[in-house]
Amino acid sequence: MAFGSRIVQRDIRFQIRRGEIFVIMGDSGCGKSTLMRHMIGLNRPAKGEVLYDGEPLWEADEDTRERFMDRLGVLYQGAALWSSMTLEENVSLPLAERKRLGPGEARDVARLKLALVGLAGFEGHYPAEISGGMRKRAGLARAMALDPEILYFDEPSAGLDPLSSRRLDDLILELRESSGTTIVLVTHELPSIFELGDNAVFLDAERRTMIAQGRPEQLKHSEEPKVRAFLERGRL
Amino acid sequence: MSAPAPATDALSRLQIARDSQGAIRVRLSGRWTLADGLPSTDSVARELESAPAGTRLVFEAAGLETWDSALVSFLFSAAGLAAARGSAVDTSALPEGARRLLDLSLAVPARVMPQTPKDDALTARVGEVALRAWRTAGDALDFLGETVVALGAFLRGRARFRRVDLMHALESAGVGALGIVALINLLIGAVLAFVGAVQLQQFGASIYVANLVAIGITRELGALMTGIVMAGRTGASFAAVLGTMTVNEEVDALRTMGLKPVEFLVLPRVLATSLMLPALVAYADVLGVLGGTFVGVALLDLGAVEYLRATQSSLELRHVVIGLVKSVAFGVVVALTGCYYGVRCGRSAAAVGEATTRAVVMGIVLVVVVDAVFTVLLHLLHL
C-alpha cells in the first residue's frame, strides 16, 4: 500500500474465514483504515491483490467490482451518512438503487433496519439532528441495508461514550450470531478487540508491515514486545 | 569553581561559567515565566562550541524564583545543543517538577523523517510546476470523460441519481440566483449606457446608446457577467458541498454502495446549471436593457418610447441567440469546475476552503476563456 512513492504498509498477507470477527489493529497512523480502504475497493494496492472466495477484486473490471460491492457493507468512522437525506432515505437509497425496490418496499426495509439498530421513530430525522452514537447506529443500518456478507467497521467506538460504545459492540456480536455475517473491525479499542475478535492482525507503523497475527488472547503472549505492550496497555 | 567566563543575558537571569573540572555551569536565577520572555540559548551554544566535545553541562537553580514552560523550553533547547556536542547534562539541582518535565520531553527521541533534498534551481521549479499542471490536466480530462459517460447514460435513461437532487440544483442555480443576477446586470446596463453616452453625445449621436446597450448586453455582457456571477456563487457552492461530502467520507460511502459519484452528484448539478443559465441570461438581458433605458431617459433626455424603439430596431435575433448559446457553455464550465474541485478535495477543513477558492478562480478564468474562443469563432463565421 502506498501513496505515490511513500509506502504505508508492505508484505501484508492474511485470511479471513467466513462468519468470523476479524480485527485489524495497530498504533495510530499505521495504516489500518488505509488497509480497509484497499479491501473495500476504494484504494488500488500499489502491488498485490485482494481475494474474495479466491476471486480477485482489483483485477476485475469496473462493472464486476461494482456488483461485488453489493456483498460489502461499510460503517465509516464518522458514519458518513448523506447529510441532505433523512435516516430513512439514507437506508432506502441503496435498496432502491441496487436492489431496484420500489419506494414503498425500500421504505419498509429501511424502517426494519433502523428498528434493528434501535432507531425506530427516527426515520424522518436528518443526521445533524441526532447524537454521535445514534449516527453510528444509523450508519450501521445503512451498511446492513443490502444484507451484506461482509461488514466492515472503521473505528466504530471512536468518539463514543463507554455506554454507546458497549451498545455498538453488543450489536456487532448480535449481528454475527443472528445472520452469520463476516465482520472486519478496524480498531485500537482493547475491550472491543478482546470481546469481539476471533482473529486479528497487528500493523506496525515503524516497520510498516504486519508483525503479528492470531487470536487476540494469544497475541498477549506474542514474541513481539510491541504487540504485548499494546494489548496489555503497558510500556515497551 | 575557578576561571569564570561570565556570559549574562539582558535580564541577568542566566550566568554561565566553567568550574575547575572544566564543566559548564549554567546558573539560573530570578523569574522564568513566559510573561517575562524566553531567554536565548545562544550563550549556552557558544560556550558548548568553545569547550571540548563531551564537556558536561550542569544546571544550577539556587536563585530561581518562579518558573513555567519558559524554563522547561530553555532547558529542552539547551539539552538538544548538549546532545549534539556529545555532552552529558546534569539536572540534579533543578526543581523536581522542571526536571521531570524535561525528562518527559526527552523520553521519546525526535523522529527523523527521511527527507528528499529539494532542488531549488529555476529549471527544477519550472519542471515541478509543469509536471503538476500536466497531472492536473490529465485528471481533469478523466473527470470530463466520466461526466460525458454519465451524460450518455442519462440520455439513454440509465443514469442513477435522485430527481430531488436535480430539483434542488435547479432551484439553487436558478431562482436562488435571480436577485444577484438582476442587480449586476441592471448596473452593467446602466454603466454601459453612461460610458457610451459620454462619447456619443460629442457627435450628437446619443440615440445610438440604445444600440450599444442592446447589442453589448445581449451578445456579450449579459452572458459573461451572469457566467462570472454563477462561478462565484453556484460554482463555489458546488465545490464546498461536494468537498465537505468528500471530507466526511460521504462520497466514499456512495462508491461502496455501488453508486457512481459522478452520476449521482455531478450530473444533476451540470444539468441544472446548463439548463438554468440560458433562462438567467434571458432575464439578465431584459434587466441590462432596462438599466440602459433608465440612464438614457433620466440623463440623456431621450424619450422612453424613442429609446425602446431604437433598441428594437438594432436588436437582431442572432445577438440574443449567440448570448444564450454561450450561456449553456458557461453553465457547463461553471458546474464542472465546481464539482471537479469538490470531488477531488483533500481530507481536511482547510482543503474545502482551498477547493472552493480554486473552483471560483478557475471557473471565472474558464468562463472568460470560453467567451474569447466564442468571439474568435463567431468572427471567423461572420456572425
Side-chain angles (χ1 to χ4, degrees):
Chain A
M1 302 190 302
F3 292 119
S5 58
R6 190 170 71 86
I7 293 171
V8 181
Q9 286 280 328
R10 68 195 329 158
D11 301 330
I12 295 180
R13 189 185 178 87
F14 57 84
Q15 280 190 348
I16 301 172
R17 281 188 290 275
R18 196 178 289 274
E20 77 176 355
I21 298 182
F22 190 88
V23 179
I24 299 171
M25 59 181 168
D27 38 358
S28 300
C30 68
K32 301 185 290 289
S33 298
T34 309
L35 173 59
M36 187 192 91
R37 291 176 65 83
H38 283 73
M39 294 165 75
I40 60 176
L42 289 178
N43 288 15
R44 184 179 283 277
K47 209 171 174 189
E49 188 48 281
V50 180
L51 301 170
Y52 284 94
D53 291 334
E55 298 290 324
L57 174 68
W58 287 103
E59 241 178 54
D61 60 64
E62 205 178 324
D63 283 342
T64 315
R65 197 158 52 242
E66 201 176 282
R67 277 196 302 278
F68 185 82
M69 296 295 201
D70 292 350
R71 296 168 62 188
L72 310 179
V74 185
L75 173 58
Y76 292 89
Q77 198 166 343
L81 293 168
W82 297 305
S83 44
S84 60
M85 301 181 206
T86 62
L87 300 191
E88 187 184 287
E89 286 170 338
N90 261 281
V91 184
S92 59
L93 177 72
L95 290 162
E97 295 295 336
R98 302 299 302 172
K99 298 282 186 196
R100 299 284 176 199
L101 294 189
E105 296 165 316
R107 192 179 60 236
D108 288 348
V109 180
R111 283 172 180 249
L112 164 74
K113 299 287 175 181
L114 284 168
L116 282 174
V117 296
L119 287 175
F122 287 90
E123 294 85 359
H125 284 62
Y126 284 90
E129 297 169 346
I130 55 175
S131 71
M134 289 159 88
R135 271 202 287 275
K136 281 273 169 81
R137 281 186 278 140
L140 176 55
R142 187 182 64 183
M144 297 188 311
L146 302 177
D147 291 331
E149 292 168 36
I150 311 162
L151 260 176
Y152 285 87
F153 290 79
D154 188 10
E155 306 275 9
S157 303
L160 295 189
D161 63 83
L163 286 178
S164 304
S165 173
R166 174 70 202 224
R167 209 168 156 196
L168 197 60
D169 282 358
D170 290 345
L171 206 55
I172 294 171
L173 264 183
E174 186 58 40
L175 268 177
R176 199 269 296 268
E177 300 305 324
S178 55
S179 58
T181 313
T182 306
I183 285 165
V184 180
L185 208 57
V186 170
T187 187
H188 50 216
E189 292 287 329
L190 292 181
S192 303
I193 292 171
F194 288 119
E195 198 157 320
L196 304 177
D198 295 320
N199 259 311
V201 285
F202 187 96
L203 305 185
D204 186 30
E206 282 161 20
R207 281 182 271 176
R208 294 184 195 169
T209 189
M210 112 189 186
I211 58 171
Q213 182 176 6
R215 300 181 69 80
E217 281 298 334
Q218 286 171 348
L219 290 181
K220 273 184 176 174
H221 313 289
S222 164
E223 289 170 5
E224 287 288 343
K226 187 168 184 179
V227 178
R228 287 201 307 272
F230 181 95
L231 291 173
E232 296 285 0
R233 210 165 179 269
R235 290 170 197 275
L236 271 174
Chain B
M1 204 177 298
S2 67
T8 57
D9 83 333
L11 292 167
S12 297
R13 287 183 284 162
L14 175 67
Q15 283 187 313
I16 302 177
R18 296 274 186 88
D19 67 13
S20 52
Q21 279 97 46
I24 301 167
R25 302 191 84 88
V26 181
R27 287 183 203 143
L28 311 170
S29 58
R31 295 166 55 85
W32 281 70
T33 61
L34 292 172
D36 297 308
L38 207 62
S40 154
T41 51
D42 287 353
S43 48
V44 179
R46 277 196 300 276
E47 200 62 30
L48 278 165
E49 271 166 32
S50 64
T55 304
R56 249 162 44 95
L57 185 65
V58 182
F59 287 105
E60 294 176 354
L64 193 63
E65 292 169 16
T66 52
W67 61 273
D68 61 13
S69 293
L71 174 66
V72 185
S73 171
F74 173 84
L75 294 170
F76 181 69
S77 304
L81 293 170
R85 295 281 295 166
S87 302
V89 180
D90 183 347
T91 57
S92 55
L94 288 172
E96 195 196 346
R99 204 173 63 236
R100 288 173 67 168
L101 285 172
L102 180 64
D103 289 347
L104 193 62
S105 63
L106 297 171
V108 179
R111 189 166 170 187
V112 184
M113 299 295 279
Q115 294 219 331
T116 326
K118 198 172 158 77
D119 192 345
D120 266 344
L122 181 66
T123 46
R125 276 185 286 168
V126 171
E128 241 174 62
V129 171
L131 281 174
R132 208 178 313 136
W134 178 251
R135 277 196 295 270
T136 307
D139 190 42
L141 216 58
D142 270 354
F143 181 77
L144 188 65
E146 279 179 58
T147 313
V148 171
V149 170
L151 200 62
F154 171 72
L155 292 174
R156 293 196 308 275
R158 291 175 57 189
R160 295 204 306 251
F161 61 85
R162 295 198 319 156
R163 300 292 174 268
V164 66
D165 285 345
L166 178 64
M167 293 302 161
H168 274 305
L170 282 169
E171 188 194 354
S172 151
V175 180
L178 283 178
I180 181 80
V181 167
L183 179 69
I184 295 290
N185 283 285
L186 201 69
L187 290 174
I188 288 291
V191 169
L192 193 62
F194 190 77
V195 172
V198 171
Q199 300 301 319
L200 292 170
Q201 253 178 342
Q202 295 174 29
F203 307 103
S206 302
I207 190 62
Y208 287 105
V209 166
N211 300 39
L212 174 70
V213 171
I215 297 173
I217 288 285
T218 53
R219 187 182 170 105
E220 194 64 43
L221 286 173
L224 185 65
M225 292 315 295
T226 308
I228 289 174
V229 166
M230 293 303 275
R233 189 187 175 281
T234 307
S237 153
F238 288 171
V241 169
L242 298 190
T244 309
M245 287 184 77
T246 305
V247 172
N248 290 341
E249 297 180 307
E250 292 176 44
V251 177
D252 287 342
L254 281 175
R255 284 202 182 98
T256 44
M257 289 286 176
L259 301 169
K260 293 189 174 88
V262 168
E263 250 178 52
F264 209 79
L265 301 173
V266 178
L267 191 60
R269 286 172 169 83
V270 172
L271 286 174
T273 316
S274 50
L275 280 173
M276 278 296 113
L277 247 274
L280 280 177
V281 167
Y283 170 71
D285 288 349
V286 173
L287 283 151
V289 169
L290 215 62
T293 312
F294 176 74
V295 170
V297 172
L299 302 180
L300 303 175
D301 296 330
L302 297 170
V305 175
E306 186 189 0
Y307 186 96
L308 289 174
R309 196 168 288 154
T311 300
Q312 192 187 8
S313 66
S314 65
L315 202 57
E316 292 174 33
L317 184 64
R318 68 186 167 107
H319 297 311
V320 179
V321 171
I322 285 170
L324 294 179
V325 169
K326 275 187 197 176
S327 70
V328 177
F330 294 165
V332 172
V333 162
V334 164
L336 277 180
T337 315
C339 292
Y340 171 74
Y341 283 107
V343 171
R344 296 291 196 266
C345 174
R347 302 241 162 213
S348 64
V352 178
E354 202 180 310
T356 311
T357 310
R358 284 185 180 188
V360 173
V361 173
M362 191 52 87
I364 291 174
V365 169
L366 287 179
V367 162
V368 176
V369 168
V370 168
D371 189 53
V373 171
F374 263 104
T375 306
V376 172
L377 283 178
L378 292 169
H379 175 71
L380 292 175
L381 293 169
H382 305 291
L383 283 170

